[in-house]
Amino acid sequence: MEKSKKPLLLDHSFQQWEWEKVPKYRMEQVRNWIFEKGVLAWDQMSNLPKSLRNDLQEKFDLLPMESVQVQGSSDTTQKVLWKLRDQQFIESVLIRATQGTKGVRASRLTLCVSTQVGCALGCKFCASGLDGLKRNLTTGEIVGQVLLARNEASRRIDNLVFMGMGEPLANLPALLPALDIILSPEGMGIGARHITLSTSGLVPKILELAKYPAQIRLAVSLHGGDDETRRKIMPINDRYPIEDLFRACEQFIEQRKKMITLEYILIQGVNDDLKQAELLAEHAQRLNAKVNLIPYNRVDGLSWERPDLEQINEFYKTVEAGQAPRVTLRMEKGHDIDAACGQLRLREQTINQ
Ligand code: SAH
Ligand code: SF4
């Protein structure tokens, strides 16, 4: 990937495209190449006159990133390492699942998207924040992951989860325009119900997101039933303690009339005792929220462990018995390639040689 200072076309939605002397139908052809066909090279847009292709090439970059490594197999989970135009690295993960009952089985493809290079919030257990925040991704770099991952998979993407590297709500100025493009039928055409945004709990930004018109889903990383437990692993809790977080969630739910999800990773000896399970059930009841339990995925260089299976099951049963509206236990796919949640990290040191 060449270093480039040209503007990136995908940083602007097509409604904003205004190119001197270029007729509307030509722009529509460009839009079609990019979003319908997934073509991100000016010289492949064969129905445009050569002079126009050259002009546009002078003005704009089309390719936000290049895939430099794909790990994993094309029938389960694949992790794609991208090199950005300023030589930084990010990752996205393609997750395949078979759904359906009796004969009618459909394979669903979920893409886990990154929103920042690194993360500033420094949760103690997470690989993505180990080296702090390098920078926010731009709108085009967020949309680009979806476009290029679709090309990589050679099929449509059914679901998007903003659970890759970074805190999505810390990058709303780039993320909201990216969502506009992703949701638009003239863009990626992915329905809002199929898009989930996960946050560690930036209270003012949850309130800001509540005003976004599309019905995207919200998942909140709780990871502790009380402030004392949560603050041990999530420094953000000192800024926005649990009660403030829940008030913001209540406002979000009030505006949306949609259930949110409380994510809870289980770390041995830290947040896995059954008192925490009881608290978690109470919180889920109060917010009428789904609970998603995620046994911790080990991170190289960190000493946190997942609890043993028996403890995981006890915890699960206690949350269920506490009348939480809905509880799921998510055993991650992609362990073998470090592609599970929270395992995406900066890799320039290892890849750049
Ligand atoms: N920054 C956002 C979204 C990215 S992380 C957030 O924190 O919610 C997506 C989810 O993976 C979060 O719930 C996060 O807490 C969790 N996670 C981070 N590291 C993990 C790990 N090693 N094992 C399991 N889940 C992890
Ligand atoms: Fe950032 Fe989320 Fe990782 Fe916390 S868990 S450091 S907010 S990416």
Side-chain angles (χ1 to χ4, degrees), residues 116 118-130 164-168 198-200 221 223 234 236 342:
Q116 298 183 305
C119 182
L121 297 180
C123 302
K124 300 274 172 44
F125 48 81
C126 173
S128 299
L130 281 179
M165 198 187 280
E167 166 56 46
S198 171
T199 180
S200 60
S221 296
H223 310 336
M234 298 183 73
I236 183 83

Side-chain angles (χ1 to χ4, degrees), residues 246-260:
F246 285 172
R247 291 222 183 99
C249 291
E250 279 165 344
Q251 282 198 39
F252 187 92
I253 297 161
E254 177 56 36
Q255 302 243 337
R256 294 309 173 101
K257 314 281 182 235
K258 267 247 147 69
M259 279 178 106
I260 64 162

Side-chain angles (χ1 to χ4, degrees), residues 260-303:
I260 64 162
T261 300
L262 296 176
E263 293 169 282
Y264 196 99
I265 55 177
L266 288 162
I267 310 180
Q268 187 174 56
V270 175
N271 63 359
D272 64 338
D273 62 278
L274 301 184
K275 175 81 194 128
Q276 294 295 313
E278 286 165 14
L279 287 172
L280 177 57
E282 279 171 32
H283 297 323
Q285 253 193 17
R286 162 177 169 183
L287 297 174
N288 190 31
K290 300 178 213 171
V291 171
N292 194 0
L293 298 174
I294 314 159
Y296 181 65
N297 300 305
R298 286 207 53 175
V299 172
D300 274 352
L302 298 181
S303 56

Side-chain angles (χ1 to χ4, degrees), residues 26 43 67 91 151 220 264 286 313 327 353:
R26 290 288 181 205
D43 57 7
S67 114
E91 292 173 321
N151 288 354
V220 172
Y264 196 99
R286 162 177 169 183
N313 282 331
V327 195
Q353 298 138 7

